[in-house]
Every structure is written in structure tokens, then in C-alpha cells.
Amino acid sequence: MTKARILALATTAALSSLLLGCAADGQAPNALSAGSPVAAVETAAVATPATIDNFMLADTDYMGHELYRSGAKAIVIITQSNGCPIVRNLSPALKALKAKYEGQGVEFLMLNSAIQDSRDAVAKEKADYGFDIPILMDPNQLVGEQLGVTRTAEFFVIDPKTWKITYRGPLDDRLDYGSQKATAEHTWAADAIEATLAGRQAMAANKMSPGCLVDFPNRKVAKISYSKEVAPILEKKCAACHTEGGIGPFAMSSYEMVKGFSPMIREVLRTDRMPPWNVDPHVGKFADDKSLTPTEIKTVVHWIEQGAPRDGTTDPMAVAAKKRVVQEFPLGKPDLILALPTYKVPASGVVDYQRPIVVNPLTEGKWVKASTYVVNQRQAVHHFLSGYLKDIPADGKGNESRWGASMGGYAVGAESTLWPKNVGTYLPPGGAIGFQAHYTPFGKDVVDASKIGLYFYKDGEKPGLVMRNSVVVDNTIVIPPGEARHKETAYLNVPKDMLLYSAFPHAHYRGYASDFWVEYPDGTKKLLLTMPRYDFNWQREYSFAEPLKIPAGSKLIAHYWYDNSKQNPANPDASKTIVWGDQSWEEMFYTAIRYRWTEETSAKLTNYDQLMDETRLLAMFDDNLDGKIQKAELKGELGDKLSPYFAQMDQDKSGTIENAELMAALKVMGGRRRDQAQQAPAPAPAAPAPKAGGGR
Ligand code: HEC
């Protein structure tokens, strides 16, 4: 059915039957069409809660929205589902409402809890009907259930001071079953917004709203079993950290502990704060996925909403807690153990990232096949990352902008990094290994003395294939003060066929969201990973379940969104323009990748990393991905330096800078650039190519 036809229909008496049926675009009519209006009134009688609970949902663009982080003076949530004519009919009225109130600090969100609607279908509906309000996807229906949603086109007006729902009902009285007025007599939703802004009580609080019914199959679920259903989930997905002496602040060591923390457990699942696994589950398949499945989330949350009842005579959490032992080196005795410098973690406060180094004692190069961290103070260590440093840094700092090949990282539950069979990373003799260490105070002074164990391919069993790492990095970022969703873009041109094993997005306190795409040589694009909400506290590598084939001529594209507003609770200063820097109050755009060049063997090393680096700088500036630099794209410290010479750099007078022109200009600037490189972080912290024959 075309848009024009829907609108035409909606403005005639046929509206009433459409409203009741809600069958459009060939979609199956929902519950109401089969029933009667009487049934509708009954179903609509789900009570409205007094307040709305916090949640984090991603919208159709995979941008995360945490309700309680909103800085709005009033929030309006409108329920939506695809193919519902009354929602479509609302589009112009919603635009007008938004235009009137957005400037007064009112935030508008739509909520899709319809299980039949895919994210892509909703994105299309949003575009087709011109909704300029984020549509939040609620695939687990937890938000819709808590709000007591029964229909679409319902308006919930919320007061963020108290999270009270000040109004629930239709926009106004213009549309009703079987009739439609030219203008509204009662503008209930707008009145409620005015009242909420003014701190008054709304005149009408709860009105039956005409709209399409939404199916909530789990609204009433049978009694869920703690011992058979809930405990196994918590044991598998939470207890590695929430154990005695673990990093989690409480141990899930018994029913009583779980019950006591159950309201918090519900909250962290609804806000997607736990477990720490920040990629969206709908994009990509990852090895060692730590997230909960939708069924697991619903099981735990519904069990808690049932009052977290106990059953069974034995307590599986208590039994498992007694058996849990942490093995020091689960992969066996390492070939080399390196002790990280000890670090005194204070009882409270914020510890900035530490960048210790350990001098490499090897006198001959080795091929690494695995590494394991033995974390000494498990409660205090959030993560370790590592990278080879060719030269021992004079300042003793192992900053990641200087790193070459990675020796693996640590995140709780991921102590070991195992290279795939027959694949290794070359660790040359000499130099040092730099670490990034994130310590978090937990209420007690402790001294951490962690170590890393490295496993090498033995003499004579050198791996056939070479793991490499590089970074999609952008040190030209400029983040304006106060901006809540500032976007930056950078990419890498992939010069030869590549197998991509993992990606690891990294930003600092202002990082809000990030994603990672491949654009194939034919111009089609695929989203490989997305983080609707980036969490600085949790750094980890996301390994693809199967390595991805990236053909020569592709682009690997990363986007980051930064929240430099006051609403960002981690923002140290919302009044500053932020540029690239190592310190956490500066920013990074740094998606680390691990990959192999398909053609490369350890017997025949390639220079493909160098080829990839040749267009790296251009790809940092080139925000519109057209392969050249427009003047406006010259940003950041280096961009500001180059900008005055734009006309001179543009040798062929094409109005844009191509890579050859950029390289030529940098050559001319050579001397000056070398000076600068000593102050600023190197643009390309790529893996140094292992020297041919250096492996063995
Ligand atoms: C990788 C380790 C890890 C895993 C796995 C993990 N947690 Fe946590 N959890 C933590 C840490 C550390 C904190 C302290 C807050 C922080 O640092 O984010 C925490 C805090 C919490 C809190 C307290 C509220 C808060 O945000 O401080 C709850 C509740 C919780 N976790 C529940 C869970 C549940 C439920 C699971 C499994 C579904 C889980 N956690 C899995 C490490 C973990």
C-alpha cells in the first residue's frame, strides 16, 4: 500500500476499520482484527506504572539511548509498530509537536516493542513516513512490558526529575475509532508536556488511546525456576567475575546473595551494563561471546519480576562457588614469564591508565603462539593490553601509540590469548613490551604484582602463517565543547586480500559509540561490529567467530561518536575542545585489528603493511570517503598546519588533494614533520614488519 493511499484512507471514515484491523502492507493483522472492540478495552487495561525504570536501548541506527542519562526537562515516548496507519498518520503532528517543544528541552523518543518488526524494516518505515525521532528497538519487550504498553500511538510523558509518568494516552482527541475531527478539542499530550515543564500536575493522566495492539507473549509467563533456569545462566555468564576475590563487587555464591542483589541484577540487564560485552548482539558473530541471549535476559528479568522465588533443595550457585578454582596457567608452563612492574592501587579515587614497560630479555626472536596473564589483584585490575616496542622508550612509558605487534590482552574471563593453529606473531629480540594497565580502586589499598606468560613455537616448528596487527586510527579528531554526539570517521585501504580475525574499538572518557564496517571494492558495505554504547571501563578484543575475508581494494571504516556534553558522567570537562592524546582526558580514535595477509607465509614475508600505511594519513582526513581531501577535511593539529598550503599542495589544481599530492607535500615538509613526530604520537602505530629470516 502506498503512503498516499494510506493517508487518503486515514482521512476518511475508513480510518476506523483500519485502526481496528491495522493490517497494512500485507502484514498479518494483529490480535485486535480477529477480536472485537470489547476485547480491546480489556487488553488496554494493563496498569500504568507510577514511574519508568531505567533502560538502554539502541535505535534503528544502533545509537544507544540510556533513559536516565537524558538531560531533558521532559521526555515523551510514543509507541510505534510498522504498518499501523494511526502511527503513520501521526507523522505531521509529531513533527509539529517536536518543533514546538524540542527547543524547550523536551526529548522525543519512539519505542518499538513489536516482535514481528526487524530493525531494518523499522528503519525503512521511519524513512518512508518521515519520522525524525529516534525509534528505539525493544526486541526483548522488557521496556514495553514495564510501561504496560498495549498499543501503538500511545504517548507517555515523563518527568525526569522523578521519573514519574505524568501522562499516558493519545496525542489528542482528534482521532477515535470510527470518527475523526478536523481539529482537536483536547490536546492532552501537549497539555501534559506544558504541565511537566512547569512542574504542575497534568489535567488528564490516563486516557484510552486508539492504536494498534502489540503482542506481548511473555507478559504472563509460568513460574520460572531458580535452580533449573536462572542459576545456570548466572553461573555461566556472571560468576567468573562475581566470585570471592573476583573483580565483581559481590559474589554470586548463593541464592541469598542473588536474591539480595536481584533488583540491581534486573537494572544492569535492562541497561545492558552487565555482563561487560558492549557490541550489539544483532551484528556479527563472535567467538567466546559473553553476552546473554534474549531468552536468558528475559528469563532472569522475569524471574526477578516474579519476586525471585527459590525452589529445589540444593542451591546450584553455592555448590558451584565451592568448586571454583582459578588455575594460574591453564595452558601449562609458559616459555617466558615476565613480571609487570608492581603498582600500588589506592583504596578509592580514579587511577589513570598506566603504561609500564618490561624490557625484553630475549636474545633471539621467537614466534608467539599464546599468552596468559596471571592477575595478582583480580579485584583491582580491569584490563591489560600489550604491544612490542622496538626501542626501549627513554621516558619509560609504553604508550600504545608506539606499539608494534600485540602480545595479547587480559579482560576478566579472557586471561589467555591463543593464536589460531599454525599462526604466530613474531617477537624480535631486544626492545621492550609496553602495557596499558587499567586499575580500578575497590575500597582497599593493594599492590598489584601481575605477570604475563608467553608461549612460543618451539625450534623447528615455526608457524606457517603470520598474525599481524594494525589500527584504524584518526589523530585528526577535533571534538567541540558541549557536543553530545560528535562523529568522526577514518578508514584503512586494504591493498591485498586479508583475513580479519578481530577488532577492538578504543576511545577514552568521551567515547559514546563506535562501529566498524567493510566497504567492498564494488561499493557495497557490511557492518562488522557496532557498539551502541561504548564503555571506557571495559576494554576487550572482539574476535569474529570465523575470520572474515576482506578482498584487496576494500576499505575498513570506523566511526566514533563522542559525548563532550555535561550529560556524560565520565566527562572531566565539557567546556574544552578535545583533540587526540594519550591521556584519558584527551581522546582517541583507535580500532585495533588482528589479521593475516592471505598470501603471506612466515617463509615469505610481505611489505603489505607498508602498502596499507601509504594511504593511512589521507584516510584519516577523508571523512566523506571519496578518496581525496577537501579543504574542510584538513582538521586537527596536522590539518591546521597543512591547510594554509592547500593551493600549493593541489598541484593539478583539481580542487582536492590526492594521495600523491599529500605525500609530496609531506616530503617537502620533511624536516619540520620529523620534529613534530617527536612531539606528537606517530600517526601509524602499525606492526613493524618482521625481518625476513628473523623468525628463526
Ligand atoms: C568481566 C567481569 C564481570 C562479568 C562477566 C559480570 N560482571 Fe557484574 N560487575 C563487574 C564489576 C567489575 C562490577 C563493578 C562495577 C563496574 O566496574 O562496572 C560489576 C557490577 C555489577 C552489579 C552492581 C551494579 C553496578 O553496576 O555496579 C551487578 C548487579 C552486576 N554486576 C551483575 C552482573 C550480572 C547479572 C552478570 C551476568 C549477567 C555480571 N554482572 C557479569 C564485573 C562483571
Side-chain angles (χ1 to χ4, degrees):
M1 195 177 291
T2 65
K3 180 174 160 187
R5 187 159 135 70
I6 275 284
L7 289 178
L9 276 175
T11 49
T12 68
L15 181 65
S16 62
S17 63
L18 267 173
L19 292 181
L20 288 167
C22 287
D25 288 353
Q27 294 206 6
N30 67 21
L32 189 52
S33 63
S36 65
V38 180
V41 173
E42 275 171 16
T43 335
V46 179
T48 311
T51 54
I52 182 167
D53 293 344
N54 198 12
F55 62 77
M56 202 293 284
L57 292 177
D59 64 24
T60 49
D61 294 322
Y62 290 106
M63 184 57 69
H65 297 261
E66 181 179 343
L67 184 71
Y68 283 17
R69 186 162 156 167
S70 168
K73 297 203 174 77
I75 300 170
V76 183
I77 297 179
I78 305 114
T79 55
Q80 180 270 349
S81 73
N82 279 6
C84 183
I86 196 158
V87 181
R88 291 173 174 178
N89 189 266
L90 272 177
S91 181
L94 266 180
K95 272 209 185 72
L97 197 71
K98 188 177 160 203
K100 181 156 179 207
Y101 290 109
E102 198 174 36
Q104 298 180 44
V106 180
E107 184 178 6
F108 290 86
L109 299 166
M110 292 177 99
L111 176 71
N112 181 306
S113 305
I115 41 180
Q116 73 275 21
D117 289 347
S118 73
R119 190 178 303 260
D120 287 350
V122 177
K124 187 170 181 301
E125 177 100 357
K126 181 173 185 281
D128 286 353
Y129 291 88
F131 292 111
D132 57 354
I133 294 174
I135 305 185
L136 310 187
M137 297 302 293
D138 180 26
N140 298 330
Q141 298 193 309
L142 295 176
V143 175
E145 282 175 11
Q146 194 263 327
L147 274 175
V149 168
T150 50
R151 288 169 189 281
T152 58
E154 274 195 296
F155 284 63
F156 291 84
V157 179
I158 294 149
D159 181 356
K161 284 196 289 294
T162 55
W163 300 112
K164 282 205 172 98
I165 297 167
T166 56
Y167 172 73
R168 175 205 186 160
L171 175 67
D172 52 31
D173 62 351
R174 200 172 63 83
L175 301 176
D176 203 346
Y177 293 110
S179 68
Q180 173 173 210
K181 296 179 194 165
T183 52
E185 210 172 304
H186 298 286
T187 52
W188 295 307
D191 293 351
I193 294 172
E194 299 271 359
T196 305
L197 288 175
R200 281 186 282 111
Q201 203 150 20
M203 293 292 275
N206 227 319
K207 287 251 170 239
M208 170 70 186
S209 185
C212 301
L213 280 172
V214 183
D215 184 24
F216 282 91
N218 296 314
R219 179 114 61 194
K220 282 204 169 63
V221 279
K223 202 175 152 215
I224 294 166
S225 160
Y226 161 72
S227 63
K228 291 199 185 64
E229 295 175 80
V230 175
I233 299 170
L234 301 179
E235 180 57 32
K236 190 165 99 198
K237 299 284 172 80
C238 318
C241 294
H242 289 274
T243 185
E244 287 309 330
I247 191 175
F250 63 97
M252 296 190 193
S253 51
S254 66
Y255 165 77
E256 286 73 19
M257 286 300 287
V258 173
K259 164 85 176 156
F261 277 96
S262 61
M264 270 319 287
I265 293 176
R266 176 176 174 273
E267 177 172 300
V268 296
L269 291 177
R270 285 172 53 91
T271 52
D272 202 18
R273 224 163 52 226
M274 287 283 143
W277 180 268
N278 300 115
V279 293
D280 189 279
H282 302 91
V283 176
K285 278 210 167 53
F286 299 93
D288 202 19
D289 189 339
K290 301 282 183 201
S291 65
L292 270 64
T293 66
T295 311
E296 288 174 336
I297 293 172
K298 285 188 274 191
T299 301
V300 178
V301 170
H302 287 146
W303 172 73
I304 294 167
E305 288 170 355
Q306 288 174 356
R310 177 173 197 163
D311 66 316
T313 46
T314 52
D315 180 352
M317 296 302 287
V319 174
K322 287 215 183 71
K323 279 199 246 164
R324 204 170 297 125
V325 276
V326 181
Q327 249 182 303
E328 194 175 38
F329 285 113
L331 304 178
K333 190 172 168 287
D335 297 306
L336 178 65
I337 299 175
L338 299 173
L340 274 71
T342 56
Y343 187 78
K344 190 167 179 287
V345 186
S348 68
V350 177
V351 180
D352 214 6
Y353 279 9
Q354 300 298 305
R355 269 84 173 199
I357 61 162
V358 175
V359 172
N360 179 10
L362 292 179
T363 50
E364 58 171 36
K366 294 281 184 191
W367 286 90
V368 180
K369 68 173 175 188
S371 68
T372 297
Y373 285 84
V374 179
V375 173
N376 169 241
Q377 294 294 339
R378 292 179 70 88
Q379 283 168 279
V381 178
H382 257 233
H383 76 257
F384 290 124
L385 303 174
S386 68
Y388 179 69
L389 303 164
K390 203 158 118 267
D391 304 307
I392 298 174
D395 60 1
K397 293 223 169 81
N399 289 10
E400 55 271 27
S401 50
R402 296 166 168 166
W403 288 356
S406 164
M407 297 296 126
Y410 159 83
V412 192
E415 285 74 9
S416 297
T417 307
L418 274 142
W419 277 244
K421 225 178 146 200
N422 197 30
V423 180
T425 288
Y426 184 61
L427 172 58
I433 296 174
F435 294 89
Q436 182 192 82
H438 184 196
Y439 298 104
T440 42
F442 65 98
K444 238 163 72 178
D445 283 323
V446 288
V447 176
D448 180 62
S450 294
K451 48 197 177 183
I452 181 173
L454 295 173
Y455 299 82
F456 303 132
Y457 281 91
K458 300 275 176 300
D459 293 351
E461 59 153 327
K462 163 173 164 177
L465 306 170
V466 184
M467 185 66 82
R468 296 220 173 226
N469 42 280
S470 188
V471 194
V472 185
V473 64
D474 189 348
N475 59 24
T476 71
I477 53 176
V478 182
I479 306 164
E483 204 172 314
R485 299 291 177 271
H486 175 76
K487 184 180 178 184
E488 292 278 355
T489 304
Y491 62 93
L492 281 179
N493 285 309
V494 178
K496 297 282 175 180
D497 289 355
M498 170 193 273
L499 264 185
L500 183 65
Y501 283 82
S502 69
F504 185 154
H506 169 70
H508 290 168
Y509 289 139
R510 292 169 180 86
Y512 185 85
S514 179
D515 65 16
F516 193 48
W517 296 77
V518 55
E519 184 182 305
Y520 294 108
D522 68 1
T524 56
K525 275 187 173 184
K526 188 177 169 196
L527 183 56
L528 303 180
L529 166 158
T530 179
M531 283 185 175
R533 207 180 57 182
Y534 170 81
D535 186 347
F536 175 72
N537 274 317
W538 297 103
Q539 305 284 326
R540 73 160 69 226
E541 179 178 20
Y542 293 89
S543 297
F544 302 108
E546 290 292 329
L548 309 173
K549 282 188 187 146
I550 310 292
S554 301
K555 284 185 169 74
L556 290 173
I557 307 165
H559 301 112
Y560 281 76
W561 287 262
Y562 299 92
D563 183 354
N564 197 9
S565 75
K566 278 196 234 137
Q567 284 321 114
N568 177 356
N571 192 349
D573 187 348
S575 69
K576 288 215 159 63
T577 299
I578 302 299
V579 295
W580 170 276
D582 272 351
Q583 301 301 319
S584 8
W585 60 87
E586 303 166 314
E587 259 313 326
M588 280 218 175
F589 177 122
Y590 189 96
T591 299
I593 53 173
R594 293 214 291 160
Y595 57 91
R596 283 201 307 103
W597 297 115
T598 313
E599 285 174 22
E600 187 174 52
T601 63
S602 63
K604 199 160 181 276
L605 299 173
T606 68
N607 67 343
Y608 298 165
D609 277 10
Q610 270 155 270
L611 279 184
M612 190 155 73
D613 286 343
E614 276 171 15
T615 55
R616 179 186 284 278
L617 186 59
L618 178 120
M620 288 191 210
F621 285 125
D622 179 20
D623 286 344
N624 68 0
L625 310 174
D626 66 353
K628 20 188 204 218
I629 304 174
Q630 279 75 19
K631 192 161 187 205
E633 287 176 335
L634 284 178
K635 296 182 301 139
E637 221 178 314
L638 184 58
D640 289 347
K641 284 207 175 101
L642 293 173
S643 196
Y645 305 102
F646 190 88
Q648 281 139 280
M649 288 163 66
D650 182 16
Q651 289 163 1
D652 65 1
K653 304 293 161 219
S654 61
T656 53
I657 309 284
E658 284 79 51
N659 198 51
E661 292 171 339
L662 180 66
M663 291 299 114
L666 289 180
K667 224 178 231 160
V668 173
M669 289 176 70
R672 285 169 54 197
R673 193 164 152 262
R674 262 194 299 282
D675 295 346
Q676 183 199 330
Q678 273 154 21
Q679 300 153 18
K691 301 280 173 304
R696 287 257 2 264

